Amino acid sequence: MNIRRMTDLDLSGKRVFIRADLNVPQDERGAITDDTRIRASLPGIEFALKAGARVMVTSHLGRPKEGEFRPEDSLAPIAERLAALLGRPVAVRRDWIDAGEVAPAPGEVVLLENCRCNKGEKKNDDALARKMAALCDVYVNDAFGTAHRAEATTHGIAKFAPVACAGPLMAEEVSALTRALAQPKRPLVAIVAGSKVSTKLTILQALAGKVDRLIVGGGIANTFMAAAGLPIGKSLAELDLVEDARKVMAMLRAKGGEVPIPVDVVVAKSFAPDAPATEKAASAVAADDMILDIGPKTAAMLGELLQSAGTIVWNGPVGVFEFDAFSGGTRAIAAAIARSPAFSLAGGGDTIAAINKFGIAGDVDYISTAGGAFLEFLEGKELPALAILQQRAA
Ligand code: ADP
Ligand code: MG
């Protein structure tokens, strides 16, 4: 892939704008529960600082509403962790679009507040992108996690900045995934789970064409259970997408690999860490139940399937693993991946948190910081943030 790399450029005295992916999981009080993405962004930031650049870093965090700023949207906790890891102060700039110069002194770094609070970010608005491009001499995209989205900080700014290049994390992710997925050892088994049901379900059809077996979990499995005619009570699901789920099921059936539908589940009456957990047959879910995990029989069945895989791709926890009573399914899947002789790749903010929680990081062959982008890359789709960097290098 022909892309300019930040590490090949002379950055001394330059205003360098780094779009990083610092979207880490946080608990209800905003405390960071897994800082893998911050650590993964350090090499790019440190390289620019050492080179004597005037470094500006931004990222999205959570799901803010554009044009609004709530305290929980703030990158302040990220700045604090970043400062501790870098061993130097990291200030946060709240208003950075219309405030004039925001670049700090050479060799210093500033964090530009949550970019998804800016109006026009998601729509990739040209006017916003031009304003951001005017803040820098060099634009660096080091956020592989958002490479599948064309937004103002991932795409528009790259059109207008004097120079646009990839940071070291982006460059490394692309080359590692290209190597691993060019000719995967078969059968290729994908686990797609978690809570971003509509985003992930829409890419499942394309993914179904690439993989030999597909395992669903979390809100996606609930949608598949509904598609299979099972009761799902009040569970997280996307009932509009039941038809899409059926298509995916038919595609895999045609390849000789049914999508396994959970046979047992763990349910609760409310979504809370201390909600009493009940194991049930999948057919016995009540109208006021929420499915928060797969049951032990399902976990064992999926674990067996993973033992015969050649390559495993994992994105998304299969249950609410943050709550101990609903963490058994994800723990079992993690253990099965660790045990399997298959080459394993995993990605996604919460997936990484689960990998760390269950202590299997050393047993996964490649861990990507990305979730959605990782799945779309596997799907073989052109990622807009990479495409624009290629155009700018031509
Ligand atoms: P990733 O960040 O790895 O891409 P997602 O963000 O899509 O994954 O999903 C992770 C979240 O999904 C976790 O916080 C987990 O609690 C939640 N989750 C998993 N299973 C369920 C379920 N059955 N119901 C509700 N939430 C779920
Ligand atoms: Mg997530």
Side-chain angles (χ1 to χ4, degrees), residues 252-317:
L252 279 136
R253 193 175 306 126
K255 288 188 184 187
E258 293 278 342
V259 176
I261 302 296
V263 292
D264 59 346
V265 291
V266 184
V267 303
K269 299 293 180 196
S270 66
F271 189 91
D274 56 354
T278 312
E279 270 176 40
K280 284 193 174 178
S283 56
V285 173
D288 61 346
D289 277 340
M290 287 168 92
I291 303 169
L292 298 184
D293 197 9
I294 54 173
K297 285 196 192 107
T298 305
M301 163 180 105
L302 300 179
E304 215 159 286
L305 214 160
L306 291 168
Q307 293 320 300
S308 54
T311 306
I312 298 171
V313 175
W314 180 25
N315 169 252

Side-chain angles (χ1 to χ4, degrees), residues 1 19 28 34 36 125 139 204 230 237 316 367:
M1 199 174 284
R19 170 53 158 109
E28 319 78 61
D34 188 277
T36 304
D125 179 60
Y139 163 74
L204 270 190
L230 287 163
I367 298 179

